[in-house]
Amino acid sequence: MNIKLVVVGKLKEKYFKAGIAEYAKRLSRFCKFRIIEVPDEKAPESLSQSQMDNVMEKEGSRILSKISDREYVYALAILGNERTSEDFAKELDKLTTYGNSDITFVIGGSLGLSSDVLKRADTQISFGKFTLPHQLMRLVLTEQVYRAFMINEGSPYHK
């Protein structure tokens, strides 16, 4: 099984890198896990709607260039469906049971995801209505993917 995160922007903080590296190491016994970073589009602080759309389109094109047709894609979106950890674990288990061995998660830039990326996604997932830094979201997502494998294994980690 291959699990990939396609994310906009570079991870700078050492403490986030360390946490993600730890979960990536733990995930290595279950899957091939990797993170692909695409550059964020430089933009001024205040943008018109059309300028925001333009930024999201450019970032979206970069994201889509890293996704093949055979991948099952989760777009992280505040308006996506929330899941419990147990439901998420069942969903991943069902996907792999029915032949989806390439699963990709997409985290957009500070403005969100383009409509093209959202259309390409097989599903949208939300981790709640809070706004979180994208770097922190990478860590949270990586931990939840690891937690899903541990739940499916029947491990006490989840308790």
Side-chain angles (χ1 to χ4, degrees):
M1 164 183 267
N2 297 301
I3 297 204
K4 176 171 70 177
L5 275 57
V6 179
V7 299
V8 173
K10 292 232 175 275
L11 188 59
K12 297 172 185 87
E13 292 82 0
K14 288 181 183 169
Y15 51 92
F16 287 139
K17 286 181 179 180
I20 291 167
E22 176 60 30
Y23 286 113
K25 183 176 81 176
R26 293 180 188 190
L27 277 166
S28 68
R29 62 185 262 234
F30 300 109
C31 65
K32 180 181 176 195
F33 178 82
R34 63 192 175 121
I35 297 175
I36 296 175
E37 294 178 335
V38 299
D40 56 345
E41 188 65 20
K42 302 299 176 219
E45 282 296 312
S46 58
L47 298 171
S48 69
Q49 186 59 52
S50 67
Q51 289 171 314
M52 287 192 283
D53 292 343
N54 188 35
V55 167
M56 288 189 293
E57 280 178 34
K58 287 180 180 177
E59 291 175 347
S61 292
R62 293 177 190 142
I63 290 166
L64 291 171
S65 74
K66 305 297 181 189
I67 300 171
S68 72
D69 290 343
R70 73 176 187 281
E71 295 172 45
Y72 188 92
V73 177
Y74 282 89
L76 274 71
I78 205 158
L79 297 176
N81 293 324
E82 293 182 38
R83 295 148 169 89
T84 65
S85 294
E86 293 87 350
D87 289 342
F88 180 56
K90 285 179 196 161
E91 195 172 323
L92 285 182
D93 190 47
K94 189 183 281 186
L95 283 171
T96 57
T97 301
Y98 293 102
N100 293 295
S101 60
D102 295 310
I103 299 171
T104 297
F105 295 88
V106 178
I107 301 175
S110 60
L111 299 176
L113 293 168
S114 71
S115 59
D116 288 342
V117 173
L118 294 173
K119 283 180 201 149
R120 169 57 186 91
D122 294 285
T123 189
Q124 294 180 30
I125 187 169
S126 173
F127 284 75
K129 298 194 186 313
F130 284 111
T131 300
L132 297 173
H134 290 80
Q135 295 85 351
L136 177 58
M137 197 61 239
R138 286 190 210 184
L139 176 60
V140 170
L141 174 60
T142 305
E143 190 280 336
Q144 284 298 301
V145 170
Y146 174 70
R147 181 177 296 273
F149 279 105
M150 296 305 284
I151 289 169
N152 289 335
E153 187 181 71
S155 166
Y157 173 85
H158 178 59
K159 304 294 178 217

